[in-house]
Amino acid sequence: MKTVDMTRGKPSEDQLLLTWQLERKKNFSDYIVEGIDIRNYGVLEGLQGARALLSPILQVPPAQVIAFGNSSLTLMFLYARWLLDRYKKETGRNTAKWIALTPGYDRHFAICEELGIELISVPMTATGPDISAIQSIINQDNSVIGMWCVPKYSNPCGVVYSDEAVMGCISLLQESSPYFTIFWDNAYGIHDFDPLNPTPLLPIMQRAEEMKLQDKLALFCSTSKITYAGGGLAGMGLSVEMKKHFLKHLGVISIGPDKLVQQKHIQLFSEPTSLTAHMKEHAALMMPKFEAVLSTFADRLYNTPGVRWSKPKGGYFISLYTPHGTAKKICTTARDKGIILTQAGSAYPYGHDPEDAHLRIAPSYPSLEDVTYAANIICDAVNEVIKSM
Ligand code: PMP
């Protein structure tokens, strides 16, 4: 039996080759960069060039960027723990809560679970978070210290936050406890399928600064899905004040980031248009896979009651919604037929989808042929399970 693994949103071999080939064309012999020896310790905030590269993704000036390490999740974990420690120390409280937009990213939820922070689910809408639902939760409970947001091509819904949603998020900063911080994970900030006509996103930091709320934002991104997954750059965007404080904390953990990898990235994208051109090449590989899934769903599930799916214009995921009480069964039925999907429920806190109605489809890694094959098997599984109900 043919098996296709669609569990995680990993870049495909072809996507990795884009960077690999670009790298082969460059000469990486400089080790004195920006006046310092990049083979040695130091420059905790990251090279100016690396910060400048991440700055447009984070939508903050390079001076507000920290380029550190290879994983934005690590930075999110460190910032969340730092926030939690301050909250506990300063308030004397022992319990903290966090808003989880659902369906959402399982690894975000895992950070809170690891830190002992209770997750409160709030359903995601087609244009962003349900601001009034969140507002009423945080009005009643000032132990809520954070909220996860993936503002562009959210994992797994593919939602891009509308201007109103971004402004709504800022209004939450205004009406919340002093610790409440929005973790703005722009992991897919430049992953448009049409990179020359990117879907716009309001720059939240800029708007928050206008209202003096900038200290309650922590922005994140990485090049995991631009260059190499696990071999790229991670970055954070903070207010000037919070960057200063957080660097003191980061300085206890590390004497400085790997500046050799930072310099490699600076050189890879040294021409002004090179990053957009690179993302165009990614899009050319991703789009046919998304189209294969979406057209198969459109052909085979269009009149199946209770079934709908997202149609993202970028990012890495498609959400498939099925009738209540069927997602787990569809997942096991597909698995029995060789198609391995992310476990049903994993886009919800504690792995529990109360409606058992959501599946995350990750078409990036398998070949186009395998993605098309898998999409058909998923449709078989959906139809089979629904028929048996
Ligand atoms: N955030 C989101 C929303 C993601 O989907 C992913 C990768 N699946 C990550 C972060 C992981 O980022 P990194 O490799 O920088 O830790």
Side-chain angles (χ1 to χ4, degrees):
M1 184 173 59
K2 184 182 175 107
T3 60
V4 182
D5 187 345
M6 291 179 109
T7 46
R8 306 298 318 180
K10 286 199 301 189
S12 66
E13 174 80 30
D14 287 354
Q15 286 177 274
L16 300 175
L17 206 56
L18 295 175
T19 307
W20 188 260
Q21 282 167 343
L22 194 60
E23 209 181 316
R24 304 276 86 70
K25 290 185 204 149
K26 302 269 174 178
N27 173 18
F28 296 106
S29 57
D30 292 350
Y31 57 80
I32 302 294
V33 178
E34 299 170 14
I36 56 139
D37 188 334
I38 57 169
R39 300 167 305 176
N40 220 324
Y41 275 143
V43 198
L44 190 60
E45 65 171 346
L47 293 172
Q48 157 73 22
R51 288 183 286 112
L53 183 66
L54 301 177
S55 144
I57 311 175
L58 293 164
Q59 300 178 298
V60 298
Q64 283 175 243
V65 175
I66 298 172
F68 186 91
N70 68 329
S71 161
S72 58
L73 278 171
T74 304
L75 292 172
M76 290 176 225
F77 179 86
L78 292 175
Y79 203 80
R81 196 176 57 185
W82 186 59
L83 171 68
L84 179 67
D85 285 350
R86 277 188 293 130
Y87 160 82
K88 283 185 177 172
K89 211 185 290 172
E90 291 166 18
T91 63
R93 292 186 180 179
N94 241 332
T95 56
K97 296 179 188 160
W98 203 281
I99 304 289
L101 302 168
T102 53
Y105 180 35
D106 52 356
R107 292 186 193 274
H108 282 164
F109 304 159
I111 289 176
C112 287
E113 289 171 31
E114 179 74 10
L115 293 172
I117 300 171
E118 185 188 327
L119 288 158
I120 306 170
S121 287
V122 177
M124 186 70 174
T125 80
T127 53
D130 182 342
I131 301 296
S132 56
I134 299 165
Q135 188 67 67
S136 73
I137 294 168
I138 60 181
N139 282 351
Q140 287 163 33
D141 191 342
N142 63 4
S143 68
V144 181
I145 62 166
M147 164 161 127
W148 296 115
C149 290
V150 181
K152 220 173 142 176
Y153 308 124
S154 66
N155 176 354
C157 303
V159 167
V160 180
Y161 287 20
S162 65
D163 292 359
E164 293 72 31
V166 176
M167 293 312 290
C169 288
I170 294 175
S171 72
L172 295 174
L173 299 178
Q174 199 157 30
E175 318 245 339
S176 51
S177 97
Y179 297 95
F180 182 76
T181 303
I182 292 185
F183 281 53
W184 193 256
D185 177 3
N186 207 6
Y188 303 106
I190 57 168
H191 295 68
D192 303 272
F193 292 155
D194 185 359
L196 297 178
N197 292 297
T199 308
L201 174 71
L202 270 195
I204 191 167
M205 182 63 87
Q206 201 181 320
R207 296 304 166 98
E209 279 166 357
E210 287 160 12
M211 298 166 77
K212 307 236 176 317
L213 294 164
Q214 66 275 10
D215 292 349
K216 298 174 89 180
L217 277 176
L219 322 183
F220 302 89
C221 76
S222 77
T223 68
S224 285
K225 289 169 182 182
I226 297 172
T227 56
Y228 299 128
L233 307 185
M236 281 189 79
L238 292 170
S239 70
V240 174
E241 191 65 15
M242 293 311 272
K243 177 176 166 180
K244 209 167 60 194
H245 291 310
F246 186 63
L247 278 177
K248 277 192 204 143
H249 177 63
L250 200 59
V252 177
I253 299 160
S254 172
I255 311 174
D258 177 352
K259 295 175 292 297
L260 293 162
V261 74
Q262 294 194 351
Q263 171 60 3
K264 182 169 86 176
H265 280 71
I266 297 166
Q267 280 187 253
L268 281 177
F269 304 111
S270 54
E271 313 299 325
T273 55
S274 52
L275 185 56
T276 309
H278 186 71
M279 294 316 290
K280 236 178 112 183
E281 291 189 80
H282 274 292
L285 294 168
M286 290 290 269
M287 236 181 6
K289 295 180 183 179
F290 274 69
E291 276 166 3
V293 174
L294 296 176
S295 66
T296 307
F297 286 179
D299 285 348
R300 300 204 40 212
L301 300 175
Y302 74 99
N303 61 359
T304 313
V307 177
R308 65 190 170 88
W309 54 92
S310 61
K311 300 170 188 77
K313 295 195 167 61
Y316 266 65
F317 303 101
I318 293 167
S319 274
L320 176 62
Y321 300 90
T322 59
H324 291 192
T326 61
K328 270 197 194 127
K329 198 138 184 246
I330 291 166
C331 200
T332 27
T333 307
R335 182 175 285 258
D336 292 344
K337 296 172 185 290
I339 307 306
I340 308 156
L341 301 175
T342 318
Q343 205 149 3
S346 54
Y348 293 77
Y350 316 107
H352 176 66
D353 171 2
E355 293 177 343
D356 184 26
H358 174 267
L359 290 161
R360 183 180 83 162
I361 314 293
S364 61
Y365 189 70
S367 67
L368 177 58
E369 191 195 338
D370 284 358
V371 167
T372 312
Y373 172 79
N376 272 293
I377 302 285
I378 294 167
C379 294
D380 291 343
V382 170
N383 288 325
E384 213 174 290
V385 170
I386 290 178
K387 229 183 248 162
S388 72
M389 275 171 31

